[in-house]
Amino acid sequence: MELAELQSLLEALTSLPPPDKQEPNLFSIGARGHYENPVSDLLAFFFYPDAGHGLGTLALESLLACLPEAQQPVEASLLAAPEREVSTKLGNRIDILMESDEWLLVLENKIWHQQNNPFSDYSDYLAEKGRKQDKACIYVVLSPEGESPEGWSGISYKNLIAELSARSGKAFVSFPFSKWLILLREFILHLESLMASTNISPDTEDFVLNNLGKIQEMVSLKSSVIKSLQEEGLRYLTREFSDHGYNVQTRLHHWYGYPALRFAFEHWTDSSDVCLYLDGSPGNVFDVRTYVWDLHTQALCQCTDRFFSQEVFDHHWLEGNGSVMGFQRLMSGEKAEKRHLFDEIARQMKKLNEFEQQHRQDN
């Protein structure tokens, strides 16, 4: 691929809208909330005004408001907690069954698009129950697009989420410190994430799919350049320390998607090394870092701090529960040229080698 073509492709990439970031929530972090049964359990809990959440009829009113106007009950109330997994005479199971003084409502929850349930059996079960109790029957399918079989009312998750969001927003004025309102908001966020087909715009998707070959060329080119830079750095350091007979070893890691080239002398007995981190994220620059490992005594930590504080570094820190000390030199502008990068790596390796050979064993 020619450089001009690369530049053109990069310019096109930067003009595309980035993927939308979805806010994480309690139900999306390691939970089973994406399965229909746990979601139905939570819906049933919030639908019941007396469940102990203190939100009253907020969720139940949200659901009923999504029904066609002719089917909306006059009052949002329940005689008892919603029943889950109710068995019909044929052994099929109804997701949620709710009952008030005047109506019965069966709700089938479909997180995914497939609707192959025995809806006629559910209808027969509820109709018989309604005749015996002289109550109106309401048949509801809650699904991504609001689709439903004949005789059933379809409610889309989008509409239910909108109703829940509007009512919960108003409730925050009266109950700003309610943990159940917070959990309901987290649940709403989780439902939104489940219903989102993608967080990538159609333009971005089309561009990537139509340019897969060129993008792969760019990825391969990037890998080749980083590998070449690593090998060039190894050759430079080998020449720099050839008079001492030091053997240099190198490793390639990636931090947050960006390459970290690590260099060390083979005669070091611990994991200490010097790293060139090619941080290409917005607002950041390349840097060279010295990592001093295996600081298992307070005396050794103090010695390390005193020794390296004599040098010019932009930042230093502790990690690994205090057993690793890091020192960073930022390499922006002209300093980021290859020769300056390699010079800085060599400088920090000389300093680290002095510490490893003359100070570590004494502490």
Side-chain angles (χ1 to χ4, degrees), residues 197-270:
S197 57
T198 179
N199 62 341
I200 298 176
S201 73
D203 287 343
T204 301
E205 182 179 275
D206 289 343
F207 178 85
V208 171
L209 293 178
N210 291 331
N211 293 278
L212 278 178
K214 294 180 181 179
I215 292 172
Q216 183 56 42
E217 283 188 56
M218 293 182 69
V219 172
S220 298
L221 181 60
K222 171 221 170 188
S223 299
S224 298
V225 168
I226 299 306
K227 185 66 175 176
S228 176
L229 185 66
Q230 183 184 20
E231 293 172 351
E232 187 175 353
L234 181 60
R235 290 194 299 271
Y236 177 93
L237 296 171
T238 299
R239 288 194 303 269
E240 183 73 13
F241 298 106
S242 59
D243 292 344
H244 301 279
Y246 297 158
N247 292 321
V248 183
Q249 56 188 13
T250 181
R251 294 174 295 158
L252 172 61
H253 290 171
H254 285 85
W255 300 339
Y256 307 104
Y258 295 103
L261 313 181
R262 313 194 74 153
F263 301 94
F265 291 135
E266 288 184 357
H267 61 266
W268 290 344
T269 58
D270 52 76

Side-chain angles (χ1 to χ4, degrees), residues 179-207:
K179 72 173 183 181
W180 292 112
L181 263 180
I182 294 173
L183 287 174
L184 177 59
R185 177 186 177 278
E186 292 292 291
F187 185 43
I188 292 171
L189 285 174
H190 185 53
L191 294 177
E192 287 178 338
S193 68
L194 290 178
M195 294 303 112
S197 57
T198 179
N199 62 341
I200 298 176
S201 73
D203 287 343
T204 301
E205 182 179 275
D206 289 343
F207 178 85

